[in-house]
Structures are given as structure tokens and as C-alpha cells.
Amino acid sequence: MIDKEDQEKFKRLQCGSVTALASVAPVAYEDRRLHHHLLDGQAQSIDATIERITRTPKTAQITLFVHNFGHKIDAVVFRPKPYMLRQFVIGERHCFYGKIECKGGHCQMLQPTRVHEVGALVPKYRTLLRADVLRRLITKYVSVANLCDEGLPENIAKSLHGIHFPQECSPLGSAGYAPDALNALKFAELYDYMRLLQAKRRFFPALHRLGGAWMPWVDSLPFQLTDEQYSAIIDIASDLSKEHAAKRMIVGDVGAGKTMVILAAVMIARPQRAILMAPTTILANQLFEEAQKFLPDMKSVLVTNTTKKVPLDSFDFIIGTHALLHRELPEAGVVMVDEQHRFGTAQRHKLEKMISEGERHPHFLQFSATPIPRTQAMIDSSHIDVSLITKTPFKKDITTTVIGKPDFAALLAHIKSEIAQQHQVLIVYPLVEQSEALNYQSIEEARQYWERNFKGVYVTHGKDREKEAVLMRFREEGSILLATTVVEVGISLPRLSTVVIVGAERLGLSTLHQLRGRVSRTGLKGYCCLFSHQKRSERLEAFTKTDNGFDIAALDLKFRKSGDLLGGKMQSGKKFVWVDMAEDEEIVSAVKKRLN
């Protein structure tokens, strides 16, 4: 549809379609219609004959007879350059545009410029292309017919066309675009982006169509799965039975029971093998223990950097860290990655490729415990299938409070009380070492106090090569753990009842939620204390009122104005211009429906 000679111009605008071009909206409109009276304080167009020009050292005074007024008017050009004055030749008739200013009964036009487009509202753009070049492109390509040909609904196409070719009034007011125009811009931006994602999705033939019996296994469990766990398993069973290799992401809240969904996928894969990669030894070990407990009839193996290298082809379920990427892996029907965001794209692709045979791929499932807004899930579903597990199997009893320096004595009493009950406390610091830029203690500054006043104090952080060993020792025998956000995901601490987050206002709400999710894992009464020097924080107060990760992800977007990693950002790193990920779920849903 785009002519060859125009493709470079589209590229400079970062537009790959007419829909994307139509989303490049004007930043202002000039009213070039000819009115029959002066518009004081406004810019307007006039049809005038130049009668006289008078020069002063700093100005050019021009007398104009304005045909659409029927009388004369003075115009003034400040600091006139020769090229400016070439517009004004005595006796010639042209259209001019400038601001009208009336003072003491005398009206004049300031800085008039000669214009050619008259009789309409003329849009003004701010782009890398010259204004006249862009206008020609828009005139040539942005039509209702072209937009409908690209799949947009007619009402959206008409609204977009009206933004670039307005008739009666400007679609842009002091508060921004009118609702219909803004919705059209949002729809077009999302439609173009999600359609692009959809086009990039590739389908490969599956190594195996899988259909192992999983329902008897679910019925044999000593507890009942939630409706959403059950729904996610049905999604996976449907995917794995198809001739094309599945690509699905299962997103669950903290403690939503993803492990049971993983084990169900292993059952569906039977009699074929399943492989799972986890980001840490601790997490891989926990999953291995769960597999041994709930899949006793299946031969499972744990693969880490420290385990013996044994042949893996005699095992039904292989669980490992990134050490799997350096082993020879046997054929498998399904490959899974837990905490998928902790691995790079290259690592995830390498694991999938290691099991692939030419064009035939294994089914590929990714799991994440970082809840995302529903808007993000719907957008992601354009290139990967998504299942959400938003509810936890049991309600956690966690009290969340914002505290400051005056509350330290009460916090200390609480910590002593919890330790006396054999419970554990996690204190998360923003830095490992002292920094003048931050008005909070670092781990190294704080540890002396805690080690002097309490027994069983353990310390770890992201740069600590022994962090996994420290966490394992703390789990068994510790009272207080001082750490950075390294403990955000993956570690199960059954006795942990309290988390104190120092400088909580510096962290995203989703990170705070992950840290809070470390406590009350086994039904203990839990406490989350957000320590802050801020007198009041609307964001932290909102966080204390909900414990649903998906609601918190939406709140995070709202408070970060959609400019964060999850929301408001396209995969290329370019931000959405019109879409507000925190508010526009209905529009995302409408676009998704249109594309399906």
C-alpha cells in the first residue's frame, strides 16, 4: 500500500503502516478560515492587499486592506529580516496569518506570515519530517478507505481521519483531545502494535502431541485446586494436544500454587519426558522436593553445578538450574522455565533449541510469579498464549503498615516477640554499603547493631557468591536475615513471619508485593512493615489496602504513569504515546476482539 518512494519517510517517522501514520496526531491546529470580524487575542487568517510599508530601526509597519473585514488594519513585523519583507509587495493581494491584538481602540496584526492553505483548520505536527512533506504523506495515505483496508473499524477510521482533516471545530482543546478522538488514537496505536506482534508469532510442528491422564492425579491430591489452577491446567492440556508446539506463559500471584500446575503439565506430558529450568539452586531444589512428594511414581532428577554428571535419559522429569544449558539433554515432550523473567531471552531460546529437532519443537511453557496488569496480559497474548492465576489457594493473614523513626521502639519489641515464638524476621535494606546519596542505613552500617543485640543474624546480598548457602542455613537456624531485594523471589521460609523493608518508597509496588509474599507461607500470622522517612505516601498507603498482586501491578502502573517496565512500553523500548496501561483495559479488550 505504501509507495516505494515514501517508505523511507515512513521509516523516519517509525511508522510501518497507514494506521501508525494516522496515530501521529497534530500538536495544535491553526484556524485558517476567513472570518468577517477581528478575533481579539487570537491568531487568524485575512485576505488582504498591501497598501503601504513604513520602516523603523526595529520594525516594519504595514497597512493592509482586509477584504474579508471590508476595512484597513495595521500589521507590524518585529526585527524584520529581508526574507520576511519579501512577503510584502505594495499592491499585491495575498492571505496572511497572525495574532490580532487590540489596545485602546486600535487593532493590529503581529508578525503576519503569508499562507497558502486557507479556509480550513490546518493541523500542526512535531516530527522529524518537514511539515509540508508530512502533510503530503497524510493527504495521500490517511483516508477512511485505507484505514478500513488495514482492518480498523469504520467509526475509528472516521475519527482518525477527522483528527487530520477537521471540519467545524478543533478536536484538540485545552484539556487535550476530545474523548472520541483520544479513543480512536488509543485504538489505532494498540491495533497496530498488537497486529505486529501477531505477525511475528511463528508456529512450529510439535515433537509430540501429548495427552497424558492428569485428572486422576488431581483427584488424588490431599487438597483441592483453585478454579484458576484448574483452568490453567486445562489450557495447557489443550495446547499440548495440538500438532503445533505450544508457547504459553502462566502468570501467578505470590503463593498462587504454580508448582501444582507445573506438576500437572508433567503428568500431561506422559509418557514423554518433561524438563524444567529454574533460576536458583534453592528454587530448583524446592521443585525437586515437591516432585518427589507429589509424583512418587515418576523418576525425577535434580541437575545443578554441583550434582554428579549422570546420564539423564533414564529420568521422566529433569529439574535443574541454568546448568542444564551445559548438559546433553535427552528428547522431551515439554520444556518449562520457572521465574522466566530471571533468564535472558537467549537462555530460554537455547534450552528450547537444545530439545528441538530441525523444524520440530517441544511444547514450551513459561511460569512467572510477577503479576502483570490484565491489559499487559491481553497485549502479550498477541504473540504468546497467557493464563492468569490471580487467587491464592488460601487467604494469607498479613498486616501491612507504613512506619517511620518514631515507631522503631515498637518494631523492636515486635521483632523480639516473634523471635521468642521461633519465628523469623527479614530486614531488607536498599544498599549493601554506605552512600551519601541515600538517607538510609546500608546493610554494612546496620549489621553491627543487629549482631550485637540479637543471636542468629545472617547477612546476604546480590553480590554474595554464597547467598544460596546463607539462605539455606538461615532457613534452618536463623532468627534475623539482613538482605537486599535478592530474596524477592524463589525462597521458601516456612518460619518467616515479618518483613521490614527499609526505604520502601524507593521500590516499585510489585517488588514490595514480592517481598511481602515471603512471609506467612504456611499460615503464620504475617507482618509487613514499610519503613520510610516520608511523612505520608499515597502510594504506600494504597499498597497496604490490597494483597492481590494483579491489583497491585495495576496500581504500580497508575502511580508510575505507565512509564514503567511492564506498562506503557512496547517491546522495542519505545513508549506508547496514547495508551494508558493502567486505565485502558476496555480498549485493549476491544482491539484483541477485533484481531481474533
Side-chain angles (χ1 to χ4, degrees), residues 163-176:
I163 288 168
H164 297 279
F165 304 97
Q167 298 302 310
E168 296 303 315
C169 58
S170 167
L172 188 58
S174 57

Side-chain angles (χ1 to χ4, degrees), residues 156-208:
I156 297 291
K158 284 180 175 176
S159 288
L160 286 173
H161 187 265
I163 288 168
H164 297 279
F165 304 97
Q167 298 302 310
E168 296 303 315
C169 58
S170 167
L172 188 58
S174 57
Y177 274 98
D180 281 357
L182 185 58
N183 280 349
L185 288 165
K186 289 178 176 185
F187 192 101
E189 184 174 43
L190 273 169
Y191 180 84
D192 194 63
Y193 178 60
M194 289 169 71
R195 187 179 56 164
L196 199 64
L197 284 185
Q198 215 174 52
K200 284 183 177 178
R201 183 166 184 175
R202 294 182 65 196
F203 292 91
F204 295 96
L207 285 170
H208 301 280

Side-chain angles (χ1 to χ4, degrees), residues 348-361:
R348 298 197 299 266
H349 285 178
K350 184 178 178 184
L351 181 66
E352 184 184 10
K353 199 172 179 183
M354 286 169 73
I355 310 300
S356 300
E357 294 176 6
E359 282 292 295
R360 295 167 65 231
H361 283 217

Side-chain angles (χ1 to χ4, degrees), residues 79 121 160 177 247 290 334 349-350 360 364 399 403 409 468 495 514 548 552 572:
R79 297 184 182 85
L121 289 164
L160 286 173
Y177 274 98
K247 270 203 183 300
E290 296 288 288
V334 63
H349 285 178
K350 184 178 178 184
R360 295 167 65 231
F364 191 66
T399 299
I403 61 171
E468 292 192 4
R495 294 191 291 125
Q514 291 287 337
N548 181 286
I552 285 163
S572 62

Side-chain angles (χ1 to χ4, degrees), residues 186-468:
K186 289 178 176 185
F187 192 101
E189 184 174 43
L190 273 169
Y191 180 84
D192 194 63
Y193 178 60
M194 289 169 71
R195 187 179 56 164
L196 199 64
L197 284 185
Q198 215 174 52
K200 284 183 177 178
R201 183 166 184 175
R202 294 182 65 196
F203 292 91
F204 295 96
L207 285 170
H208 301 280
R209 295 178 73 166
L210 307 172
W214 58 274
M215 280 188 271
W217 174 78
V218 167
D219 292 340
S220 72
L221 292 172
F223 45 80
Q224 195 170 349
L225 297 184
T226 65
D227 289 346
E228 287 179 327
Q229 281 175 304
Y230 204 82
S231 177
I233 295 168
I234 290 171
D235 287 343
I236 291 168
S238 172
D239 285 354
L240 270 51
S241 69
K242 292 173 182 171
E243 59 185 25
H244 285 112
K247 270 203 183 300
R248 180 171 291 275
M249 178 150 72
I250 297 89
V251 184
D253 201 350
V254 179
K258 286 190 291 64
T259 302
M260 289 301 114
V261 179
I262 289 170
L263 299 184
V266 177
M267 292 301 299
I268 296 164
R270 294 184 84 173
Q272 298 300 323
R273 185 179 289 107
I275 296 175
L276 172 73
M277 184 167 72
T280 65
T281 304
I282 290 174
L283 190 53
N285 196 58
Q286 284 173 193
L287 288 161
F288 177 64
E289 287 172 4
E290 296 288 288
Q292 288 185 310
K293 182 178 177 182
F294 293 106
L295 302 174
D297 299 335
M298 206 171 281
K299 284 186 73 179
S300 301
V301 64
L302 179 64
V303 178
T304 69
N305 285 328
T306 57
T307 53
K308 279 185 182 178
K309 288 197 174 183
V310 295
L312 299 174
D313 51 11
S314 62
F315 294 97
D316 305 309
F317 187 20
I318 300 167
I319 302 163
T321 60
H322 60 275
L324 288 171
L325 301 174
H326 307 288
R327 297 289 296 270
E328 194 170 314
L329 299 177
E331 186 179 326
V334 63
V335 170
M336 298 179 279
V337 175
D338 196 16
E339 300 296 350
Q340 56 85 28
H341 62 283
R342 302 278 295 275
F343 293 101
T345 305
Q347 288 177 308
R348 298 197 299 266
H349 285 178
K350 184 178 178 184
L351 181 66
E352 184 184 10
K353 199 172 179 183
M354 286 169 73
I355 310 300
S356 300
E357 294 176 6
E359 282 292 295
R360 295 167 65 231
H361 283 217
H363 296 289
F364 191 66
L365 304 176
Q366 302 178 58
F367 293 82
S368 174
T370 303
I372 59 177
R374 285 169 55 86
T375 46
Q376 183 72 35
M378 283 189 281
I379 289 172
D380 285 347
S381 67
S382 298
H383 68 106
I384 185 171
D385 297 309
V386 180
S387 297
L388 301 181
I389 308 177
T390 65
K391 295 180 176 65
T392 54
F394 59 90
K395 185 78 175 167
K396 284 189 176 185
D397 183 9
I398 303 176
T399 299
T400 306
T401 51
V402 181
I403 61 171
K405 274 186 181 177
D407 306 300
F408 186 71
L411 174 66
L412 216 52
H414 169 80
I415 288 172
K416 287 175 181 175
S417 167
E418 290 300 303
I419 291 172
Q421 298 172 65
Q422 301 298 305
H423 297 163
Q424 294 175 315
V425 175
L426 165 64
I427 305 175
V428 179
Y429 284 92
L431 290 172
V432 177
E433 295 171 351
Q434 185 179 2
S435 167
E436 290 181 10
L438 202 60
N439 193 22
Y440 290 105
Q441 279 193 319
S442 66
I443 287 180
E444 291 304 323
E445 290 173 285
R447 68 183 298 171
Q448 290 181 356
Y449 172 83
W450 296 108
E451 288 173 341
R452 190 168 63 245
N453 291 283
F454 291 88
K455 291 178 182 176
V457 176
Y458 285 75
V459 179
T460 191
H461 48 79
K463 294 177 183 174
D464 180 7
R465 290 185 177 180
E466 301 295 316
K467 60 180 174 287
E468 292 192 4

